[in-house]
Amino acid sequence: MKFYNTILRFPKSVIGIILLLTLFFGWEMQKVKIDNSIIALLPAKNQSVAMDNEVKKIFNSREMILIGVINNKGIFNPVTLQKVKDLTENIRRISIVEANDVSRLQTWGEKLGGRYRQSIDEILSGGITTDDRGAVSNLWVEAKNDANADSGFVSFLEILKLKLSPVSDIISLAEVDNITSTDWGLNIDSPMKTVPRTPEELAKLASTVFGNEMFINGLVSEDSTGTVLLIELSFNYDNYQKEASLLFQKLQALAAIYQGPEKIQLAGVPMVNIYTSEYMSRDLGVLTPIVILLVMIVMYLSFWSFKGVFLPLIVVLGALVWTMGTMGIFGRPITLVVTAMPVMLIAIGIADGIHLFSEYKLMWAKFKDRDKAILTTMKQLTKPVIFTSLTTIAGFASLATSSLQSIKDFGIFTSVGVFAAMVFSLTFIPAALKLMKPPKVRFVGKNGELSRLTRWLERFGDAVLRRRRWVLAGTITLAALTIIAISQLKVGSTMVGNFKEHSEIYQASQMLNSEFGGTEVMNIIVDTKTKNGLKDPELLAKIAALQDTLEANALVGYTTSIADYVKRINLVMNNNDPAFNRIPGKVETVTETEWIERNGKETEIRKQVKISGRDQIGQYILLYENAGGDNLEKLADYDYSKANIIVQIRTDDTRRLREIKNIVQRFALLNFGSTAEISYAGCSSLCVEADDLIIPSQTRSLGIALLVVFGLLTMIFRSPKYGLIGLLPMLLVILLAFAMMSVFGVNLDVGTALVASIVLGIGVDYSVHFLSRYRALRKEGMDFDEATRQTFTTSGRAIVFNSLAVAIGFLVLLLSSFWPVIHIGWLVSVNMIFSAILTMLLIPVLLMPKKKKKRMPDEQGVEGVAALSGTADHALEPE
Amino acid sequence: MKAANLLFNLAMVVIFSASLLAQQPTGREIMKKYKAQERTRDSSVELKMTLINARGGKRVRQVIQVTKTDAEGNRKALIRFLSPADIKGTGFLSVENSDRDDDNWLYLPALRKVRRIAGSDKTDSFMGTEFTYEDLEAEDLEAYEYKLIGSDTVGGVAAWIVEARAVSPKKIKETGYSKRELWISKDHYLAVQTKYYDKKGAYVKLYKASDIKQVPGTDKWRAYRMTMEDVRKGNKTVLEFSDYKINQGVPDKYFSQRYLKRGGR
């Protein structure tokens, strides 16, 4: 109690210190960024993430934004084609430089002076436009090589350069490498240099485009109702999410200009990420205030006092600031899963404040002495507050063992939040109560309705005890049923499918997926481990066969690899003879013409020569490089040992993606053997990887959580039997939560995987309350029946109120834009109610002494816990 | 007295500067000497091309090159690949014409066919190197405007810095550069360094020549090592020369399609 005496002596200093700490965390909070990349989900040391990075580097590849231009009457008309051409040119000229970049550049100029200032002034004169790309790039090269240059300046220039040309490459009908052979040789050129006007020109373009099978589905739809523009960002989305979002706005504005009658839609992995980011900010901005408002209303209705509203509210908001601040300090981002955290913290953390304030009101009415009321309140409630916080923390902290980074973060930081709420409750509340005027003692709320609840609870308790066997049988049946249901539970997630069906990105993705090869990309890396291994005709033929196998799957719309290029060049170098639309064989026969001097005359003779297919491939590649082609950089590494097969897929559902991966795996096993090693990269492969981690991770986390909770309960009650009795209802609720997901067709994903831990973390408090109240009553000398009845009407009532409050809080998540968050919302809500019901059903039945030996259960009470049962449960009861 | 002194000093300064200016050659004069030094009747050389990408990956190709320049200054060149094995025998023939576009042919032994290559796009990379066809052309003095912009020392060699900008309409259309800055050595009039600026004015490539030696039996000096670097991407091509022969007589027949094909084996 010394601790609280000190607080009561210096309440202003205590509040001052808390305020300073909160300001500090508030400052750190600014550093928190939203990150919705798949990388943020996976652990930093994950092998697949490393592989993905490596692949991006080797093949210089980045994610693409797809712009679909769809005209149901066909795209081969001058108007639509002109739009494609204009879009291509305008996109190439996009700059995302903002006003503050200009002023920052100016400031750097003034600060650095000299030749830098001169160059900067030149760039700034006449405003900064895409024409300044060169000058900015020169300045960057100069600064980069200048040992004395400020590193902040260099990195600023690097970003400025990137903002002046955010698009590194664009592929469209107006700008695509079309490999053809003309009468004078191999040519690589765009099929549409100028927009065709006459019917003949239009027909010629159509036949050129459909004459190159690499374009079908990749660039134009099979039925020629759509064409796509592929936009490659000049930066990695994961590192420059803000820039990506600026670029997106520009693209969106451009698309709007050319919209109608053609449909112009943006999709692709970066777009999904950008939309996710926007909707996440929206969710945070909308859901948090709503839940605060809701909580305020509920509290006002229960206390009829503004103090009663604001004290607990300050506790949760303060805890939230501390939590977000801690995230800032550790540089952890807000991920999709973490967006649910503020709502959750508010719903959970509010309880302590409510308990303390209502107890204080009772004590004030009793003692009419501020210090005494506060001290008694704190004396009674400190331990319960600490115990319930610890059990909740145990539920969440177990998630820290997850291999999935965002689940780990969610677990760690929600625990931090619960801890912060506890610290606030135990320090800020007594200090604030000391400074505030004591509450008016007012009795509100007629007992009518609420005592009906009491009566109902009494009857419920009696019924439970009378039908003990039914309860037990029912429980066992339920458990069995849940296990059957859980066996049907599916792991699977999708990024696009997280959005609601009417959302723009969902619609755009659907449309592009039905018209073209697919917006989701999987990279299959074939590593021959030998230099020039890719020039082996047999290996290339196998790669081509793998592509054919994949394309036979309806979900795979388009694939591309070095094999396609070799095939195409082989075709055009053999006068477009369809027999040569293939990879050269091991040995090829070619006809050679030679002039021979015969009888003083030059005569042409022909002969058949056998040539190695490998040489042909090598020379085709040289020919292609020499004709200015540079697409192979993305499909083969520098020494031609690794090939990158780009597979476009029409869905991002991880269950489908896993099937496709399996197809590859089977094919590789049968065909590549030891000649080449297969690995995967790309967003889709990482998503599958993340999913594969969910089940082992969740099983481990829940196992640990159950053990820790059991340990805590055993410790609190100093009895393993009580530990077990307290744990059983929670075990059943967890089974029920998973079973419900299975029955309602909710997939287990990184979001819904959290439900069980959340329910456990919050629900176990009910067991603690119920058991400790029961125990205290028995200690007072009541017999089993009497103690149980009393527990039902006091503790039971508090449990009903608390679970209803938490359930209502979580229902706010139904307003989220994301299905996983919505699922968390309703699943937690429903299961909170179930944990309340199951606690009250099972615990009394399990406590019931066997009829023959009417012995009291283990009686070693714990002082602190007695207090817990005595008071904490008054919290939500009417006064 | 004072005024007279001042006047005298001023006069001295003016005269001295004027004499300095007189000694300073113009950009065009420097480039004329450069051109004279560059020009040969014929040449033959073996060279090793090493293509290095930013990640340190290497592709090595060995070629032999012969050239011949006619009286009008039009150059013919034949390049034949000696290694790696899969492209051995591949040949490249280019013939400059004064009245029309240059002709380029490629012979691929694996097809036993000579293919004509589009010659119009000089900004394309030569065989995947950092050199474009334009970079490998002989300097066309008539198509450029030259300006002396300073002097400098590069790798211990004193050099003039000459800025070259295309002026002829044809060259303006063809070139991939807005300007080049050439460091021409004061001793042998060789380009020891060149900076290339793209059409938007961005500095994109850096050429460096080193290992400068006199070609045996001639008055010509040549760099036996050249590098071309893409300063933004970090890719690099290194050319190492050996067995240089100049003006030793190269037969005309080397520059025919027939020879291009025949020499492939």
Side-chain angles (χ1 to χ4, degrees):
Chain A
M1 282 305 104
K2 231 173 147 185
F3 176 69
Y4 293 112
N5 281 325
T6 318
I7 289 180
L8 292 184
R9 249 204 347 258
F10 311 105
K12 281 183 186 158
S13 318
V14 170
I15 289 179
I17 290 168
I18 290 173
L19 192 70
L20 279 177
L21 277 169
T22 309
L23 281 176
F24 163 72
F25 283 116
W27 177 258
E28 294 294 328
M29 206 165 104
Q30 301 175 65
K31 292 185 194 159
V32 181
K33 285 194 188 114
I34 287 187
D35 187 344
N36 48 51
S37 59
I38 179 77
I39 310 288
L41 224 61
L42 286 163
K45 272 183 254 157
N46 186 281
Q47 221 183 343
S48 303
V49 175
M51 181 70 198
D52 188 62
N53 279 331
E54 184 70 7
V55 166
K56 275 183 181 154
K57 267 188 221 144
I58 294 176
F59 299 103
N60 191 23
S61 71
R62 297 194 183 97
E63 311 281 3
M64 298 238 187
I65 292 182
L66 289 85
I67 300 189
V69 178
I70 291 144
N71 185 340
N72 292 332
K73 291 183 185 140
I75 54 150
F76 289 102
N77 70 75
V79 178
T80 307
L81 293 173
Q82 186 66 48
K83 286 186 177 181
V84 172
K85 177 115 184 141
D86 291 350
L87 270 169
T88 309
E89 276 163 19
N90 284 319
I91 289 167
R92 197 169 272 295
R93 277 205 299 271
I94 283 180
S95 150
I96 51 167
V97 172
E98 299 162 288
N100 74 326
D101 293 320
V102 177
S103 55
R104 276 181 73 192
L105 185 61
Q106 205 150 14
T107 318
W108 276 114
E110 281 154 20
K111 193 175 154 196
L112 297 168
R115 60 181 203 280
Y116 284 124
R117 171 153 202 181
Q118 207 177 340
S119 316
I120 287 172
D121 286 347
E122 264 168 45
I123 291 167
L124 287 172
S125 69
I128 189 162
T129 65
T130 50
D131 294 336
D132 294 309
R133 278 172 198 181
V136 170
S137 163
N138 288 353
L139 196 59
W140 172 68
V141 171
E142 191 181 342
K144 200 175 61 163
N145 295 324
D146 177 356
N148 301 320
D150 191 313
S151 64
F153 181 53
V154 178
S155 56
F156 167 71
L157 284 176
E158 194 169 3
I159 292 184
L160 187 66
K161 190 168 71 89
L162 184 149
K163 285 177 126 180
L164 275 169
S165 49
V167 173
S168 74
D169 200 7
I170 172 162
I171 297 172
S172 76
L173 271 181
E175 277 204 48
V176 64
D177 283 359
N178 184 28
I179 305 173
T180 52
S181 97
T182 60
D183 38 344
W184 45 265
L186 185 83
N187 186 33
I188 297 181
D189 218 338
S190 147
M192 187 177 78
K193 282 184 141 177
T194 54
V195 176
R197 301 278 159 200
T198 65
E200 296 76 43
E201 285 173 345
L202 287 164
K204 191 173 166 247
L205 176 65
S207 81
T208 308
V209 169
F210 284 97
N212 188 341
E213 49 179 54
M214 284 166 74
F215 293 159
I216 302 165
N217 278 334
L219 193 66
V220 288
S221 65
E222 256 166 291
D223 59 0
S224 74
T225 56
T227 180
V228 76
L229 290 89
L230 295 158
I231 295 153
E232 191 189 65
L233 312 187
S234 53
F235 46 86
N236 256 339
Y237 172 79
D238 293 339
N239 309 331
Y240 297 98
Q241 300 185 5
K242 207 185 114 228
E243 284 75 13
S245 163
L246 284 171
L247 174 63
F248 152 67
Q249 286 163 18
K250 293 264 177 177
L251 289 173
Q252 196 80 319
L254 260 182
I257 296 173
Y258 297 101
Q259 200 74 255
E262 295 85 359
K263 280 202 197 95
I264 301 179
Q265 302 264 36
L266 281 74
V269 174
M271 291 308 298
V272 175
N273 286 335
I274 290 163
Y275 272 107
T276 305
S277 193
E278 282 193 356
Y279 281 58
M280 269 161 66
S281 309
R282 194 203 73 117
D283 268 16
L284 280 174
V286 172
L287 303 187
T288 316
I290 290 179
V291 80
I292 290 173
L293 199 71
L294 203 69
V295 160
M296 280 168 75
I297 292 170
V298 167
M299 284 189 301
Y300 189 74
L301 289 179
S302 39
F303 292 125
W304 296 103
S305 125
F306 284 108
K307 268 174 230 154
V309 173
F310 286 108
L311 280 186
L313 197 62
I314 287 172
V315 169
V316 284
L317 294 184
L320 199 56
V321 171
W322 284 30
T323 310
M324 302 292 262
T326 314
M327 289 178 76
I329 292 170
F330 289 99
R332 299 309 308 162
I334 294 178
T335 57
L336 184 58
V337 173
V338 176
T339 46
M341 197 184 69
V343 170
M344 201 166 298
L345 269 185
I346 291 171
I348 300 168
I350 207 83
D352 290 344
I354 294 176
H355 286 196
L356 287 165
F357 188 73
S358 53
E359 182 71 15
Y360 171 68
K361 264 176 104 174
L362 283 178
M363 293 304 125
W364 165 255
K366 199 167 164 186
F367 301 115
K368 300 278 177 208
D369 176 301
R370 208 184 296 179
D371 282 17
K372 199 167 177 202
I374 296 171
L375 281 175
T376 326
T377 304
M378 296 321 290
K379 190 180 171 206
Q380 306 237 41
L381 286 188
T382 299
K383 272 187 182 166
V385 164
I386 291 177
F387 282 146
T388 52
S389 297
L390 281 183
T391 47
T392 307
I393 287 173
F396 287 111
S398 69
L399 292 173
T401 62
S402 175
S403 359
L404 290 148
Q405 191 61 46
S406 68
I407 291 186
K408 201 175 196 163
D409 285 354
F410 174 86
I412 293 174
F413 293 109
T414 309
S415 303
V416 168
V418 173
F419 184 80
M422 181 184 91
V423 171
F424 255 86
S425 300
L426 299 181
T427 54
F428 172 77
I429 288 194
L433 287 174
K434 164 85 184 174
L435 291 176
M436 285 193 309
K437 273 193 198 144
K440 286 190 196 108
V441 181
R442 215 167 44 151
F443 288 91
V444 281
K446 292 280 167 271
N447 272 358
E449 230 173 300
L450 291 162
S451 56
R452 210 179 300 154
L453 176 70
T454 314
R455 281 201 303 277
W456 187 83
L457 279 167
E458 249 174 27
R459 281 209 299 274
F460 178 78
D462 288 344
V464 166
L465 293 179
R466 272 202 313 275
R467 296 186 172 78
R468 178 185 169 190
R469 279 167 208 285
W470 286 99
V471 170
L472 280 175
T475 306
I476 291 164
T477 319
L478 187 67
L481 286 175
T482 57
I483 286 165
I484 294 169
I486 289 170
S487 67
Q488 305 296 312
L489 184 62
K490 290 188 179 70
V491 178
S493 56
T494 129
M495 291 291 280
V496 176
N498 283 350
F499 293 91
K500 294 180 182 166
E501 275 178 35
H502 58 74
S503 66
E504 218 171 319
I505 184 69
Y506 189 91
Q507 299 265 330
S509 303
Q510 287 292 96
M511 178 157 258
L512 264 68
N513 277 329
S514 66
E515 284 272 331
F516 308 105
T519 53
E520 188 67 21
V521 172
M522 183 187 283
N523 301 81
I524 302 170
I525 311 303
V526 181
D527 188 353
T528 65
K529 310 250 174 197
T530 25
K531 222 172 171 176
N532 292 318
L534 294 181
K535 293 177 183 168
D536 175 22
E538 284 172 19
L539 183 98
L540 275 190
K542 281 177 191 164
I543 289 179
L546 171 57
Q547 287 175 258
D548 290 342
T549 311
L550 282 169
E551 285 182 12
N553 185 308
L555 289 171
V556 176
Y558 185 73
T559 62
T560 175
S561 80
I562 182 173
D564 295 309
Y565 282 78
V566 171
K567 251 160 112 175
R568 177 78 189 167
I569 300 171
N570 196 32
L571 175 73
V572 302
M573 291 308 283
N574 286 289
N575 303 316
N576 292 316
D577 178 351
F580 288 92
N581 190 16
R582 57 171 172 83
I583 304 288
K586 216 173 168 184
V587 178
E588 289 281 323
T589 312
V590 300
T591 312
E592 182 180 11
T593 50
E594 209 172 344
W595 286 274
I596 284 191
E597 250 189 52
R598 203 177 277 166
N599 311 327
K601 269 172 113 184
E602 299 248 324
T603 324
E604 189 187 302
I605 57 153
R606 285 164 182 271
K607 58 179 180 186
Q608 303 282 315
V609 201
K610 291 212 183 305
I611 283 171
S612 125
R614 192 189 175 95
D615 287 357
Q616 278 196 347
I617 295 168
Q619 288 168 33
Y620 285 161
I621 291 171
L622 184 74
L623 190 65
Y624 174 79
E625 280 176 5
N626 191 57
D630 52 11
N631 286 351
L632 280 185
E633 275 177 27
K634 301 211 180 292
L635 302 172
D637 69 338
Y638 207 63
D639 54 14
Y640 293 104
S641 64
K642 296 184 189 74
N644 175 17
I645 308 174
I646 300 175
V647 183
Q648 277 176 259
I649 304 168
R650 293 190 164 115
T651 176
D652 65 351
D653 183 333
T654 50
R655 282 184 293 158
R656 302 282 97 79
L657 296 175
R658 190 176 293 111
E659 285 167 19
I660 291 166
K661 238 175 155 171
N662 289 341
I663 295 176
V664 179
Q665 214 64 44
R666 261 200 306 279
F667 182 94
L669 207 67
L670 290 172
N671 296 283
F672 287 116
S674 59
T675 54
E677 204 171 87
I678 301 286
S679 51
Y680 307 86
C683 206
S684 51
S685 147
L686 293 179
C687 288
V688 174
E689 183 81 10
D691 271 15
D692 288 343
L693 291 173
I694 289 178
I695 289 188
S697 268
Q698 273 322 95
T699 319
R700 187 171 59 226
S701 296
L702 276 177
I704 292 173
L706 287 170
L707 270 178
V708 172
V709 166
F710 172 72
L712 276 172
L713 290 175
T714 305
M715 206 182 77
I716 292 170
F717 298 111
R718 298 204 185 146
S719 147
K721 182 185 162 193
Y722 270 45
L724 207 59
I725 290 175
L727 196 66
L728 273 173
M730 293 330 297
L731 201 60
L732 199 60
V733 174
I734 289 172
L735 290 176
L736 205 57
F738 283 125
M740 244 180 243
M741 286 168 61
S742 171
V743 169
F744 290 97
V746 177
N747 286 337
L748 194 62
D749 63 23
V750 281
T752 50
L754 299 173
V755 169
S757 302
I758 297 169
V759 171
L760 173 64
I762 308 173
V764 73
D765 292 359
Y766 305 157
S767 295
V768 175
H769 286 307
F770 198 94
L771 276 172
S772 47
R773 169 58 63 96
Y774 165 81
R775 196 154 192 187
L777 293 174
R778 285 303 292 266
K779 219 181 159 193
E780 280 172 22
M782 287 185 198
D783 71 352
F784 172 76
D785 285 1
E786 184 59 28
T788 312
R789 187 167 297 122
Q790 282 260 349
T791 309
F792 262 104
T793 53
T794 53
S795 203
R797 148 177 270 158
I799 289 171
V800 168
F801 273 98
N802 190 305
S803 66
L804 279 176
V806 174
I808 289 169
F810 272 87
L811 281 180
V812 173
L813 293 180
L814 294 189
L815 299 172
S816 166
S817 322
F818 300 104
W819 280 115
V821 177
I822 294 173
H823 288 317
I824 294 180
W826 75 262
L827 282 165
V828 172
S829 289
V830 172
N831 284 295
M832 276 342 288
I833 308 280
F834 274 112
S835 22
I837 295 174
L838 284 172
T839 302
M840 292 190 293
L841 265 179
L842 277 184
I843 293 185
V845 169
L846 294 169
L847 284 174
M848 192 185 267
K850 283 185 186 144
K851 278 193 178 142
K852 280 167 194 167
K853 339 181 222 167
K854 272 207 166 182
R855 254 195 47 178
M856 303 246 279
D858 191 356
E859 286 270 324
Q860 300 156 299
V862 185
E863 268 170 58
V865 177
L868 172 87
S869 56
T871 53
D873 303 333
H874 287 305
L876 281 160
E877 290 170 38
E879 297 153 47
Chain B
M1 185 61 189
K2 256 189 176 173
N5 243 339
L6 191 70
L7 209 65
F8 176 76
N9 283 340
L10 206 64
M12 284 309 288
V13 167
V14 169
I15 290 162
F16 189 64
S17 318
S19 72
L20 252 185
L21 277 176
Q23 278 177 8
Q24 194 107 324
T26 65
R28 178 158 296 275
E29 281 163 0
I30 294 167
M31 290 309 287
K32 268 187 181 160
K33 289 191 178 159
Y34 164 80
K35 176 84 185 174
Q37 150 74 21
E38 180 195 68
R39 190 161 177 170
T40 56
R41 261 196 331 276
D42 58 59
S43 72
S44 102
V45 69
E46 259 187 52
L47 64 127
K48 188 171 131 189
M49 308 195 304
T50 310
L51 285 61
I52 307 165
N53 74 355
R55 292 165 47 82
K58 275 184 188 170
R59 291 178 187 161
V60 182
R61 291 163 187 173
Q62 208 104 25
V63 305
I64 185 159
Q65 182 195 44
V66 287
T67 68
K68 190 159 188 172
T69 311
D70 67 15
E72 286 170 58
N74 285 322
R75 192 168 67 161
K76 297 171 184 161
L78 175 70
I79 290 170
R80 174 91 57 202
F81 285 83
L82 305 174
S83 76
D86 58 10
I87 56 172
K88 183 169 189 253
T90 301
F92 176 76
L93 172 65
S94 71
V95 176
E96 286 179 8
N97 301 305
S98 16
D99 51 344
R100 57 190 168 90
D101 277 351
D102 304 344
D103 291 312
N104 294 303
W105 287 278
L106 188 70
Y107 170 69
L108 297 177
L111 288 177
R112 294 290 196 266
K113 267 177 197 148
V114 171
R115 283 277 163 182
R116 192 161 162 172
I117 299 179
S120 54
D121 204 352
K122 292 196 188 299
T123 59
D124 279 349
S125 142
F126 172 74
M127 302 286 171
T129 65
E130 297 308 318
F131 290 88
T132 61
Y133 284 95
E134 181 184 1
D135 300 340
L136 298 169
E137 274 181 353
E139 188 75 21
D140 182 356
L141 293 181
E142 303 315 309
Y144 287 93
E145 173 189 85
Y146 298 103
K147 205 162 83 187
L148 178 64
I149 56 170
S151 40
D152 191 9
T153 308
V154 181
V157 179
W160 305 108
I161 310 174
V162 178
E163 184 188 279
R165 285 178 191 270
V167 284
S168 81
K170 182 170 178 278
K171 188 60 82 181
I172 289 174
K173 193 169 161 265
E174 278 177 3
T175 182
Y177 308 118
S178 57
K179 67 167 181 183
R180 286 173 298 150
E181 286 169 3
L182 300 104
W183 274 249
I184 306 292
S185 71
K186 290 182 180 178
D187 49 3
H188 306 302
Y189 290 90
L190 273 174
V192 287
Q193 176 174 294
T194 306
K195 285 185 174 178
Y196 295 86
Y197 294 81
D198 73 4
K199 283 257 163 109
K200 291 192 187 100
Y203 165 42
V204 285
K205 290 201 302 189
L206 173 67
Y207 164 85
K208 277 188 167 172
S210 58
D211 202 2
I212 295 166
K213 288 187 285 206
Q214 191 164 20
V215 178
T218 69
D219 59 349
K220 303 285 184 189
W221 291 73
R222 288 289 181 268
Y224 278 70
R225 185 187 164 89
M226 298 175 177
T227 59
M228 182 67 97
E229 189 188 348
D230 180 323
V231 293
R232 290 186 295 188
K233 286 188 192 156
N235 298 347
K236 209 190 232 179
T237 298
V238 180
L239 304 181
E240 287 158 292
F241 295 79
S242 58
D243 204 13
Y244 233 124
K245 291 188 188 112
I246 287 180
N247 297 344
Q248 311 228 329
V250 170
D252 275 326
K253 66 167 191 184
Y254 280 10
F255 306 101
S256 68
Q257 284 186 59
R258 250 181 78 188
Y259 185 82
L260 177 65
K261 201 171 161 183
R262 187 167 288 170
R265 276 153 287 159

